[in-house]
Amino acid sequence: MISIHRLVFLSVFLLVSASAVAEDVPLLSFGQEQPTFSWFSQRLNVEESLANRINRKKGLLQAVNIGGSWIPGSDGNDLSLAEFKLGVTCALPAPKFKPFTNSFFVLTPSFAYTGTRWNGSEHFPSNLYNAGLSMMWMKPLDERWSLMLSASPGYAGDGKATSETVRCPAMFGATWTPNSKWKVVFGVAYLDRSDIPVLPFGGFTYMPNEDWKFECMAPQPRIARRLTACCGPNADRWAYLGFGFGGGNWAIESVGDRTDLAQYREYSILLGYEFISKVGLLKWNAELACLFGREMQFEHDTQPNHKLGNSLALRLKASF
């Protein structure tokens, strides 16, 4: 079963986050999440909050993030997935002494449930769970440079596996913003996975004007166009074309009651719509993706690996 003390800890943390108050912490944005590297992409997108320090939200509780996705199977024996996510973004000012001066901490407890249906596998659970606490320290050095360091211990499993359920990826990176049009991010990530243990990363965003945005950033590069015809003074609306990769890793009880690590992979081409309120705290996205190169691998070979059929995905997410 899922560790009770972990669930109790997360529940208490959510209650404390909703009621506590902190001072002088910035409003944080909800990142472009992908199942495999959600912690990774979220940290890169959190950096956007430093671009506009004037829009600050007082208090520890910065945002409530919800999201869901649905991937139907291409036939009766293919894998279908339905996922629901819930997260709470909190921020704390760092101690007022070096090297923490003018920096802050970001804490994000989260929980995700994935329901599955798959007749093509010898044994695969119908319920998968993810729970974790992402911890990040961000330090602006000046107007152009900032540093970020994070660790994200978390549980991923079916509630029955007794090993390999807890992992702790970490990341160190830097952001360089030479002007209002360019932003460059680079660093190294420790993924705590046997297939990809360490991953150097780098990318950039380029915004030549107010209506176009080019993001070459893992795991989902995209080209976005501002919809000027329907934009009022109180909101921005964007349409975007994206490419990416995603998936998930879960410790499961497999054939013969043996624990195995199921590793799901997918590649995608997607169309998306994004709404960002300028006066409130609401932000939401809707995406329709075409998935290909889908694969499920089992690290300890308790059952055969599977090539899965192409499919579609519908994703919705919101932050408020």
Coordinates of all heavy atoms in Angstrom, one line a residue, residues 14-78:
L14 N -0.4 20.8 2.8 CA -1.4 21.6 2.0 C -2.2 22.5 2.9 O -2.5 23.6 2.6 CB -2.3 20.6 1.2 CG -1.6 19.9 0.1 CD1 -2.6 18.8 -0.5 CD2 -1.2 20.8 -1.0
L15 N -2.6 21.9 4.1 CA -3.5 22.7 5.0 C -2.7 23.9 5.5 O -3.2 25.0 5.6 CB -3.9 21.9 6.1 CG -5.0 20.8 5.7 CD1 -5.3 19.9 7.0 CD2 -6.3 21.4 5.2
V16 N -1.4 23.7 5.9 CA -0.6 24.8 6.4 C -0.3 25.8 5.3 O -0.4 27.0 5.6 CB 0.7 24.2 7.0 CG1 1.7 25.3 7.3 CG2 0.5 23.3 8.2
S17 N -0.1 25.4 4.1 CA 0.2 26.3 3.0 C -1.0 27.2 2.7 O -0.9 28.4 2.4 CB 0.5 25.5 1.7 OG 1.6 24.7 1.9
A18 N -2.2 26.7 2.9 CA -3.4 27.5 2.6 C -3.7 28.6 3.7 O -4.4 29.6 3.4 CB -4.6 26.6 2.5
S19 N -3.1 28.4 4.9 CA -3.5 29.3 6.0 C -2.3 30.2 6.4 O -2.6 31.3 7.0 CB -4.0 28.5 7.2 OG -2.9 27.6 7.6
A20 N -1.1 29.8 6.1 CA 0.0 30.6 6.5 C 0.2 31.9 5.7 O -0.3 31.9 4.6 CB 1.3 29.8 6.5
V21 N 1.0 32.8 6.2 CA 1.2 34.1 5.5 C 2.7 34.4 5.5 O 3.4 34.3 6.5 CB 0.4 35.3 6.1 CG1 0.8 36.6 5.4 CG2 -1.1 35.0 6.1
A22 N 3.2 34.8 4.3 CA 4.6 35.2 4.2 C 4.6 36.5 3.5 O 3.6 37.0 2.9 CB 5.5 34.2 3.4
E23 N 5.7 37.2 3.5 CA 5.8 38.6 2.9 C 6.8 38.6 1.7 O 7.7 37.8 1.6 CB 6.3 39.6 3.9 CG 5.4 39.8 5.1 CD 4.1 40.4 4.7 OE1 4.0 41.2 3.7 OE2 3.0 40.1 5.3
D24 N 6.4 39.4 0.7 CA 7.3 39.8 -0.4 C 7.8 38.6 -1.2 O 9.0 38.4 -1.4 CB 8.6 40.5 0.2 CG 9.3 41.3 -0.9 OD1 8.6 41.8 -1.8 OD2 10.5 41.4 -0.8
V25 N 6.9 37.8 -1.7 CA 7.2 36.7 -2.5 C 6.5 36.9 -3.8 O 5.3 37.3 -3.9 CB 6.9 35.3 -1.9 CG1 7.8 35.0 -0.8 CG2 5.4 35.3 -1.4
P26 N 7.1 36.5 -5.0 CA 6.5 36.8 -6.3 C 5.4 35.9 -6.7 O 5.4 34.7 -6.2 CB 7.7 36.7 -7.2 CG 8.6 35.8 -6.6 CD 8.4 36.0 -5.1
L27 N 4.6 36.3 -7.6 CA 3.6 35.4 -8.2 C 4.2 34.5 -9.1 O 5.0 34.9 -10.0 CB 2.5 36.2 -8.9 CG 1.5 35.4 -9.7 CD1 0.6 34.6 -8.8 CD2 0.6 36.4 -10.5
L28 N 4.0 33.2 -9.0 CA 4.6 32.2 -9.8 C 3.7 31.6 -10.8 O 2.5 31.5 -10.6 CB 5.2 31.0 -8.9 CG 6.2 31.5 -7.8 CD1 6.5 30.3 -7.0 CD2 7.4 32.1 -8.5
S29 N 4.2 31.3 -12.0 CA 3.3 30.8 -13.1 C 3.3 29.3 -13.1 O 4.3 28.6 -12.7 CB 3.8 31.3 -14.4 OG 5.1 30.9 -14.7
F30 N 2.3 28.7 -13.6 CA 2.1 27.3 -13.8 C 2.9 26.8 -15.0 O 2.6 27.3 -16.1 CB 0.7 26.9 -13.9 CG 0.3 25.5 -13.9 CD1 1.1 24.6 -13.1 CD2 -0.7 25.0 -14.7 CE1 0.8 23.2 -13.2 CE2 -1.0 23.6 -14.7 CZ -0.3 22.7 -14.0
G31 N 3.8 25.9 -14.9 CA 4.7 25.5 -16.0 C 4.0 24.6 -17.0 O 2.9 24.0 -16.7
Q32 N 4.6 24.5 -18.2 CA 4.1 23.6 -19.2 C 4.5 22.1 -18.8 O 5.6 21.7 -19.0 CB 4.7 23.9 -20.6 CG 4.3 25.3 -21.0 CD 2.8 25.3 -21.3 OE1 2.2 24.4 -21.7 NE2 2.2 26.4 -21.0
E33 N 3.6 21.4 -18.2 CA 4.0 20.1 -17.6 C 4.0 19.0 -18.6 O 3.1 19.0 -19.5 CB 3.0 19.8 -16.5 CG 3.3 20.6 -15.2 CD 2.6 19.9 -14.0 OE1 1.6 19.3 -14.2 OE2 3.2 20.0 -13.0
Q34 N 4.9 18.1 -18.5 CA 4.9 16.9 -19.2 C 5.1 15.8 -18.2 O 5.8 16.0 -17.2 CB 6.0 16.8 -20.2 CG 5.8 17.8 -21.4 CD 4.7 17.3 -22.3 OE1 4.5 16.2 -22.5 NE2 3.9 18.3 -22.7
P35 N 4.5 14.6 -18.3 CA 4.5 13.6 -17.3 C 5.9 13.2 -16.9 O 6.2 13.0 -15.7 CB 3.8 12.4 -17.9 CG 2.9 13.0 -18.9 CD 3.6 14.2 -19.5
T36 N 6.9 13.0 -17.8 CA 8.2 12.6 -17.4 C 9.0 13.6 -16.8 O 9.7 13.4 -15.7 CB 8.9 12.1 -18.7 OG1 8.2 11.1 -19.3 CG2 10.3 11.4 -18.3
F37 N 9.1 14.8 -17.3 CA 10.0 15.9 -16.8 C 9.2 17.1 -16.3 O 9.6 18.2 -16.5 CB 10.9 16.3 -17.9 CG 11.8 15.2 -18.5 CD1 11.5 14.7 -19.7 CD2 12.8 14.7 -17.7 CE1 12.4 13.7 -20.2 CE2 13.6 13.7 -18.2 CZ 13.4 13.2 -19.5
S38 N 8.0 16.8 -15.7 CA 7.2 17.9 -15.2 C 7.9 18.8 -14.2 O 7.9 20.0 -14.3 CB 5.9 17.4 -14.6 OG 6.2 16.5 -13.5
W39 N 8.7 18.2 -13.3 CA 9.5 18.9 -12.4 C 10.5 19.8 -13.1 O 10.8 20.9 -12.7 CB 10.2 18.0 -11.4 CG 11.2 17.1 -12.0 CD1 10.9 15.9 -12.6 CD2 12.6 17.4 -12.2 NE1 12.1 15.4 -13.1 CE2 13.1 16.3 -12.9 CE3 13.4 18.4 -11.8 CZ2 14.5 16.2 -13.2 CZ3 14.7 18.3 -12.1 CH2 15.2 17.3 -12.8
F40 N 11.1 19.3 -14.2 CA 12.1 19.9 -14.9 C 11.6 21.2 -15.6 O 12.1 22.3 -15.5 CB 12.7 18.9 -15.9 CG 13.7 19.5 -16.8 CD1 15.0 20.0 -16.4 CD2 13.5 19.6 -18.2 CE1 15.9 20.5 -17.3 CE2 14.4 20.1 -19.1 CZ 15.6 20.5 -18.6
S41 N 10.5 21.0 -16.4 CA 10.0 22.1 -17.2 C 9.3 23.1 -16.3 O 9.4 24.3 -16.6 CB 8.9 21.6 -18.2 OG 7.9 20.9 -17.5
Q42 N 8.8 22.7 -15.2 CA 8.1 23.7 -14.3 C 9.2 24.6 -13.7 O 8.9 25.8 -13.6 CB 7.4 23.0 -13.1 CG 6.6 23.9 -12.2 CD 5.9 23.2 -11.1 OE1 6.4 22.1 -10.7 NE2 4.8 23.7 -10.6
R43 N 10.3 24.1 -13.4 CA 11.4 25.0 -12.8 C 11.8 26.1 -13.9 O 12.2 27.2 -13.5 CB 12.5 24.2 -12.3 CG 12.3 23.8 -10.9 CD 12.7 22.4 -10.6 NE 12.1 21.9 -9.4 CZ 10.8 21.5 -9.4 NH1 10.0 21.5 -10.4 NH2 10.2 21.2 -8.2
L44 N 11.9 25.6 -15.1 CA 12.3 26.6 -16.2 C 11.3 27.7 -16.3 O 11.6 28.8 -16.5 CB 12.5 25.8 -17.5 CG 13.6 24.8 -17.5 CD1 13.8 24.2 -18.8 CD2 14.9 25.3 -17.0
N45 N 10.0 27.3 -16.3 CA 8.9 28.3 -16.5 C 8.7 29.2 -15.2 O 8.2 30.3 -15.4 CB 7.6 27.6 -16.8 CG 7.6 27.1 -18.2 OD1 7.3 27.8 -19.2 ND2 7.9 25.8 -18.4
V46 N 9.0 28.7 -14.0 CA 8.9 29.5 -12.9 C 9.8 30.8 -13.0 O 9.5 31.8 -12.5 CB 9.3 28.7 -11.6 CG1 9.7 29.6 -10.4 CG2 8.1 27.8 -11.2
E47 N 10.9 30.6 -13.7 CA 11.8 31.7 -13.9 C 11.1 32.9 -14.6 O 11.5 34.1 -14.4 CB 13.0 31.3 -14.8 CG 14.1 32.3 -15.0 CD 14.9 32.6 -13.7 OE1 14.7 31.9 -12.8 OE2 15.6 33.6 -13.7
E48 N 10.0 32.7 -15.3 CA 9.3 33.8 -15.9 C 8.8 34.8 -14.9 O 8.5 36.0 -15.2 CB 8.1 33.2 -16.7 CG 8.4 32.3 -17.9 CD 9.0 33.1 -19.0 OE1 8.9 34.4 -19.0 OE2 9.5 32.5 -20.0
S49 N 8.5 34.3 -13.6 CA 8.0 35.2 -12.6 C 9.0 36.4 -12.3 O 8.6 37.4 -11.8 CB 7.7 34.4 -11.3 OG 8.9 33.9 -10.8
L50 N 10.3 36.2 -12.5 CA 11.2 37.2 -12.2 C 11.2 38.4 -13.2 O 11.7 39.4 -13.0 CB 12.7 36.6 -12.2 CG 12.9 35.5 -11.2 CD1 14.3 35.0 -11.4 CD2 12.7 36.1 -9.8
A51 N 10.6 38.1 -14.4 CA 10.5 39.2 -15.4 C 9.6 40.3 -15.0 O 9.6 41.4 -15.6 CB 10.1 38.6 -16.7
N52 N 8.6 40.0 -14.1 CA 7.7 41.1 -13.8 C 7.5 41.1 -12.3 O 6.5 40.6 -11.8 CB 6.3 40.8 -14.5 CG 5.4 42.0 -14.4 OD1 5.7 43.0 -13.8 ND2 4.2 41.9 -15.0
R53 N 8.4 41.6 -11.5 CA 8.4 41.6 -10.1 C 7.3 42.5 -9.5 O 7.0 42.5 -8.3 CB 9.7 42.0 -9.5 CG 10.9 41.1 -9.8 CD 10.7 39.7 -9.3 NE 10.7 39.7 -7.8 CZ 11.9 39.6 -7.1 NH1 13.0 39.3 -7.8 NH2 11.8 39.6 -5.8
I54 N 6.7 43.4 -10.4 CA 5.7 44.3 -9.9 C 4.4 43.6 -9.5 O 3.6 44.1 -8.7 CB 5.5 45.5 -10.9 CG1 4.8 46.7 -10.2 CG2 4.7 45.0 -12.1 CD1 4.8 47.9 -11.1
N55 N 4.1 42.5 -10.3 CA 2.9 41.8 -10.0 C 3.1 40.7 -8.9 O 3.4 39.6 -9.3 CB 2.3 41.1 -11.3 CG 1.8 42.1 -12.2 OD1 1.3 43.2 -11.8 ND2 1.9 41.8 -13.5
R56 N 3.1 41.1 -7.7 CA 3.4 40.2 -6.6 C 2.2 39.8 -5.9 O 1.2 40.6 -5.7 CB 4.4 40.8 -5.6 CG 5.8 41.0 -6.3 CD 6.8 41.5 -5.3 NE 8.1 41.7 -5.8 CZ 9.2 42.0 -5.1 NH1 9.0 42.3 -3.9 NH2 10.3 42.1 -5.7
K57 N 2.1 38.6 -5.4 CA 1.0 38.1 -4.5 C 1.6 37.9 -3.1 O 2.5 37.1 -3.0 CB 0.4 36.8 -5.1 CG -0.7 36.3 -4.2 CD -1.2 35.0 -4.8 CE -2.3 34.4 -3.9 NZ -2.8 33.1 -4.4
K58 N 1.0 38.6 -2.1 CA 1.5 38.4 -0.8 C 1.0 37.0 -0.3 O 0.0 36.5 -0.6 CB 0.9 39.5 0.1 CG 1.4 40.9 -0.3 CD 2.9 41.1 -0.2 CE 3.3 42.5 -0.6 NZ 4.7 42.7 -0.4
G59 N 1.8 36.4 0.6 CA 1.4 35.2 1.2 C 2.2 34.0 0.8 O 2.8 34.0 -0.3
L60 N 2.1 33.0 1.6 CA 2.8 31.7 1.2 C 2.2 31.0 0.1 O 2.9 30.5 -0.8 CB 2.8 30.8 2.5 CG 3.4 29.4 2.3 CD1 4.9 29.5 2.0 CD2 3.2 28.6 3.6
L61 N 0.9 31.0 0.0 CA 0.1 30.3 -1.0 C 0.2 31.1 -2.3 O -0.4 32.2 -2.3 CB -1.3 30.0 -0.6 CG -2.2 29.3 -1.6 CD1 -1.6 27.9 -2.0 CD2 -3.6 29.1 -1.1
Q62 N 0.8 30.7 -3.3 CA 0.9 31.4 -4.6 C -0.1 31.0 -5.6 O -0.6 31.8 -6.4 CB 2.4 31.3 -5.1 CG 3.4 31.9 -4.3 CD 3.3 33.4 -4.3 OE1 3.3 34.0 -5.4 NE2 3.2 34.0 -3.2
A63 N -0.3 29.7 -5.8 CA -1.2 29.2 -6.8 C -1.7 27.8 -6.5 O -1.0 27.0 -5.9 CB -0.5 29.3 -8.2
V64 N -2.9 27.5 -7.0 CA -3.4 26.1 -7.0 C -3.4 25.7 -8.5 O -4.0 26.3 -9.3 CB -4.8 26.0 -6.4 CG1 -5.3 24.6 -6.5 CG2 -4.8 26.5 -4.9
N65 N -2.8 24.6 -8.7 CA -2.6 24.1 -10.1 C -3.4 22.7 -10.3 O -3.2 21.8 -9.5 CB -1.1 23.8 -10.5 CG -0.3 25.0 -10.1 OD1 -0.6 26.2 -10.4 ND2 0.8 24.8 -9.4
I66 N -4.2 22.7 -11.3 CA -4.9 21.4 -11.6 C -4.8 21.1 -13.0 O -4.6 22.0 -13.9 CB -6.4 21.5 -11.2 CG1 -7.1 22.7 -12.0 CG2 -6.6 21.7 -9.7 CD1 -8.6 22.7 -11.8
G67 N -4.9 19.9 -13.4 CA -4.7 19.5 -14.8 C -5.2 18.0 -15.0 O -5.3 17.3 -14.0
G68 N -5.5 17.7 -16.2 CA -5.9 16.4 -16.6 C -5.6 16.1 -18.0 O -5.4 17.0 -18.8
S69 N -5.5 14.8 -18.3 CA -5.2 14.4 -19.7 C -5.9 13.1 -20.0 O -6.1 12.3 -19.0 CB -3.7 14.3 -20.0 OG -3.1 13.3 -19.2
W70 N -6.2 12.8 -21.2 CA -6.9 11.6 -21.6 C -6.2 11.1 -22.9 O -6.1 11.8 -23.9 CB -8.4 11.8 -21.8 CG -9.1 10.5 -22.4 CD1 -9.1 9.3 -21.8 CD2 -9.9 10.5 -23.5 NE1 -9.9 8.4 -22.6 CE2 -10.4 9.1 -23.6 CE3 -10.3 11.4 -24.5 CZ2 -11.2 8.7 -24.7 CZ3 -11.1 11.0 -25.6 CH2 -11.5 9.6 -25.6
I71 N -5.8 9.8 -22.9 CA -5.2 9.2 -24.1 C -5.9 7.9 -24.3 O -5.7 6.9 -23.6 CB -3.7 8.9 -23.9 CG1 -2.9 10.2 -23.5 CG2 -3.1 8.3 -25.1 CD1 -1.4 9.9 -23.1
P72 N -6.8 7.9 -25.4 CA -7.5 6.6 -25.7 C -6.5 5.6 -26.4 O -5.6 6.0 -27.1 CB -8.6 7.1 -26.6 CG -8.1 8.3 -27.2 CD -7.2 9.0 -26.2
G73 N -6.8 4.3 -26.2 CA -6.0 3.3 -26.9 C -6.5 3.2 -28.3 O -7.7 3.5 -28.7
S74 N -5.6 2.9 -29.2 CA -5.9 2.8 -30.6 C -6.8 1.6 -31.0 O -7.5 1.6 -32.0 CB -4.7 2.8 -31.5 OG -3.9 1.7 -31.2
D75 N -6.8 0.5 -30.1 CA -7.7 -0.6 -30.3 C -7.9 -1.2 -28.9 O -7.4 -0.7 -27.9 CB -7.1 -1.6 -31.3 CG -5.7 -2.1 -30.8 OD1 -5.5 -2.5 -29.7 OD2 -4.8 -2.1 -31.7
G76 N -8.6 -2.3 -28.9 CA -9.0 -2.9 -27.6 C -7.8 -3.5 -26.8 O -7.9 -3.6 -25.6
N77 N -6.7 -3.8 -27.4 CA -5.5 -4.3 -26.7 C -4.4 -3.2 -26.5 O -3.4 -3.6 -26.0 CB -4.9 -5.4 -27.5 CG -5.8 -6.6 -27.5 OD1 -6.5 -6.9 -26.6 ND2 -5.8 -7.3 -28.7
D78 N -4.7 -2.0 -26.8 CA -3.7 -0.9 -26.6 C -3.9 -0.2 -25.3 O -5.0 -0.3 -24.7 CB -3.9 0.1 -27.8 CG -2.5 0.7 -28.1 OD1 -1.6 0.5 -27.3 OD2 -2.4 1.4 -29.1

